[in-house]
């Protein structure tokens, strides 16, 4: 027996069948496939805590740092080079030239030599302080308009004298009645000027114009000054009146 295990036995030793290894690999493959397919068919069998850990989204990135606070403006003190109204030479050459913004212009010295002591001026100044009073000019009053257009209702309140028109006999016999509308200009003194007919029965127009020519109005005032007024006058002719 020892001889058979250490030396070639010349085909005396009997090995297992070659199909045994194939069956073994097949069984192992089926077990491995079952272990893989079973969790896919039954996900509720997997551990819940582990699945929740895998499905949780990663935390968001941290917010960016806040911007740095703005720096306070640096106030630069500019030293004036004027001394006793005279410009002095700088002691050193500046590296940067900055503009100086003054709140108000310095007072001007209005004066011309050789004209001192004249008409309220100052010594060495212009006569009467002309340059010192340039800004204070005379007040210009706006001119009043030459003519205003006013309604007949407003001008009826300014009527002082009214002449009743005479009803023409021919119009009365023909039973003609109506309203004659006249266009008139009331002068600054209150008289009637430039009287003309706009509408109305022809038989009544002349009687209306004769009556209105004698009407007098109170002058119309604008800012305290009398002005001419353009208005309309209605003359009513009624047989029953």
């Amino acid at each position: 027996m020892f001889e058979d295990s250490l030396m070639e036995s010349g085909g005396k030793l009997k090995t297992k069948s070659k199909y045994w290894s194939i069956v073994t690999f097949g069984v192992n493959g089926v077990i491995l496939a079952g272990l893989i397919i079973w969790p896919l068919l039954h996900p509720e069998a997997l551990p819940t805590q582990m699945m929740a850990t895998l499905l949780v989204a990663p935390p968001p990135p941290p917010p960016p740092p806040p911007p740095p606070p703005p720096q306070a403006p640096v106030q630069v003190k500019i030293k004036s080079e004027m001394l006793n109204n005279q410009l002095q030479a700088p002691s050193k050459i500046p590296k940067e030239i900055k503009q100086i913004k003054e709140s108000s212009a310095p007072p001007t010295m209005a004066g011309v030599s050789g004209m001192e002591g004249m008409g309220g001026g100052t010594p060495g100044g212009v006569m009467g302080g002309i340059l010192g009073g340039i800004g204070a000019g005379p007040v210009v009053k706006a001119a009043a308009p030459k003519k205003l257009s006013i309604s007949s209702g407003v001008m009826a309140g300014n009527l002082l004298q009214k002449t009743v028109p005479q009803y023409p006999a021919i119009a009365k016999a023909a039973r003609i009645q109506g309203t004659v509308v006249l266009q008139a200009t009331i002068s600054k003194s209150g008289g009637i000027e430039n009287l003309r007919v706009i509408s109305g029965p022809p038989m009544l127009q002349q009687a209306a114009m004769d009556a209105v020519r004698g009407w007098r109005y109170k002058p119309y005032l604008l800012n305290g000054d009398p002005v001419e007024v353009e208005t309309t006058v209605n003359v009513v002719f009624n047989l029953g009146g």
Side-chain angles (χ1 to χ4, degrees), residues 14 23-24 43 53 55 74 82 89 91 104 106-107 114 146-147 151 153 155 162 170 173 185 190 212-213 220 222:
K14 294 180 180 181
V23 172
T24 302
T53 305
L55 296 178
V74 180
M82 298 293 292
S91 58
S104 60
K146 296 182 179 181
K147 187 181 295 185
S151 64
M155 293 308 300
K162 182 178 180 180
I170 187 173
T185 300
V212 172
R213 282 195 181 97
Y220 191 85
L222 179 65

Side-chain angles (χ1 to χ4, degrees), residues 44-125:
E44 63 275 3
L46 297 175
T48 307
Q49 185 174 3
M50 182 178 297
M51 292 296 294
T53 305
L54 295 177
L55 296 178
V56 171
Q71 297 182 356
V74 180
Q75 297 182 356
V76 180
K77 294 183 178 181
I78 302 174
K79 183 179 179 182
S80 177
E81 300 293 341
M82 298 293 292
L83 180 62
N84 296 331
N85 293 331
Q86 293 182 359
L87 184 63
Q88 291 184 343
S91 58
K92 58 181 180 178
I93 300 175
K95 295 181 179 179
E96 183 180 358
I97 300 176
K98 298 182 180 180
Q99 293 183 349
I100 302 175
K101 295 182 179 180
E102 298 182 355
S103 57
S104 60
T108 57
M109 301 296 293
V112 178
S113 61
M115 300 187 68
E116 53 184 298
M118 297 181 64
T122 58

Side-chain angles (χ1 to χ4, degrees), residues 165 168 176-183 195-210 212 215 232-238:
I176 295 176
Q177 60 183 356
T179 302
V180 179
V181 181
L182 304 176
Q183 185 80 20
L195 188 63
R196 54 202 180 274
V197 178
I198 296 179
S199 63
M203 290 186 180
L204 304 175
Q205 292 178 3
Q206 188 61 42
M209 293 183 66
D210 294 341
V212 172
W215 291 10
T232 57
V233 180
N234 299 328
V235 182
V236 180
F237 290 87
N238 190 0

